[in-house]
Amino acid sequence: VSTTSGTNTRRVYGSGYVAAIVVSADPNIVYAAVHPQWNALSPYVIRSTDAGETWNTTSSNLPANLRVVGMRVHPVDPDGVWVISGEGRFNTGPKQAYFSTTGGQSFIRLDPQQGDLIDAAYAQDSNNLNLMYATTVLNGVGQVFKSLDTGFNWSNITPATQKPSGILLADATNANHIRIIDLDQRVSKDSFLWESTNAGTSWTKRLLSVTGG
């Protein structure tokens, strides 16, 4: 942690391998997902209520076979936190997402459960702060889902002819503007940027000038 804009830092937690960290809607409440070792599964969640100065392990009930690849937090509820599991650099778990309404004390699986989850993210829509999108791959085909209630229910909004999937990037200034970075989640060796200006009804596919892994 740093209180000097990064000029100086102090180590405040030194156990295990920290896979992801997020700051909640309350800047004093911070979450991190930790594996016992860099090449281990069995993740657990730690929580800070003083902006990262001190940490406590939650009694989270995450499945032991997860490899954490990301976390998300609810836009306004500091107790709402997501853990996303998938293919990591060192090992791989099932591609799923788990949500807690209790500040990391307990989690339930809330991804669309239609193939492998790639990403889930809030749309940053001021008219509905619970609006989320998720991307999956089912039998090699990309899919996009929308939820109006922070992931408790999902609807498939994948267009009939386009099958985007990848990492979601919401636009905080325009809730209808969504981008998806498709980094070879299926069989193609190319990377693509999918862009929608109508909340996922249709997409424009752009080839990225990226080579290699």
Side-chain angles (χ1 to χ4, degrees):
V1 66
S2 172
T3 56
T4 58
S5 300
T7 303
N8 299 293
T9 60
R10 292 176 289 107
R11 189 176 187 179
V12 292
Y13 188 83
S15 177
Y17 178 88
V18 178
I21 186 169
V22 283
V23 180
S24 78
D26 178 345
N28 290 309
I29 298 179
V30 187
Y31 298 93
V34 184
H35 292 279
Q37 300 177 54
W38 61 271
N39 59 349
L41 299 177
S42 303
Y44 57 95
V45 173
I46 58 175
R47 185 176 189 260
S48 172
T49 58
D50 54 12
E53 293 288 344
T54 60
W55 296 86
N56 292 298
T57 303
T58 71
S59 56
S60 58
N61 58 334
L62 291 171
N65 65 339
L66 301 184
R67 180 68 185 190
V68 177
V69 296
M71 300 181 77
R72 302 283 185 267
V73 285
H74 191 277
V76 294
D77 182 2
D79 288 332
V81 58
W82 289 82
V83 169
I84 299 174
S85 169
E87 182 177 352
R89 178 180 178 186
F90 305 113
N91 48 27
T92 298
K95 298 178 179 181
Q96 301 170 350
Y98 291 80
F99 183 59
S100 174
T101 61
T102 58
Q105 296 297 329
S106 61
F107 285 85
I108 56 174
R109 184 179 174 186
L110 278 191
D111 61 271
Q113 300 187 39
Q114 298 289 325
D116 291 333
L117 178 77
I118 304 303
D119 196 17
Y122 286 96
Q124 304 186 61
D125 185 352
S126 59
N127 295 315
N128 180 5
L129 294 173
N130 290 311
L131 177 62
M132 295 187 74
Y133 293 95
T135 54
T136 71
V137 172
L138 178 62
N139 298 323
V141 179
Q143 299 181 113
V144 184
F145 293 83
K146 177 187 284 189
S147 173
L148 302 177
D149 55 7
T150 204
F152 285 91
N153 295 279
W154 294 95
S155 56
N156 192 329
I157 62 168
T158 312
T161 57
Q162 298 169 306
K163 308 297 180 183
S165 186
I167 304 302
L168 288 153
L169 298 173
D171 186 342
T173 65
N174 182 357
N176 291 320
H177 186 199
I178 315 160
R179 296 181 179 95
I180 295 175
I181 298 179
D182 190 342
L183 298 174
D184 188 22
Q185 299 292 348
R186 289 156 286 178
V187 296
S188 171
K189 296 301 181 184
D190 295 318
S191 299
F192 300 99
L193 172 70
W194 299 87
E195 187 171 20
S196 175
T197 58
N198 52 19
T201 301
S202 61
W203 296 85
T204 299
K205 181 180 181 182
R206 310 181 194 280
L207 178 66
L208 300 181
S209 300
V210 176
T211 58

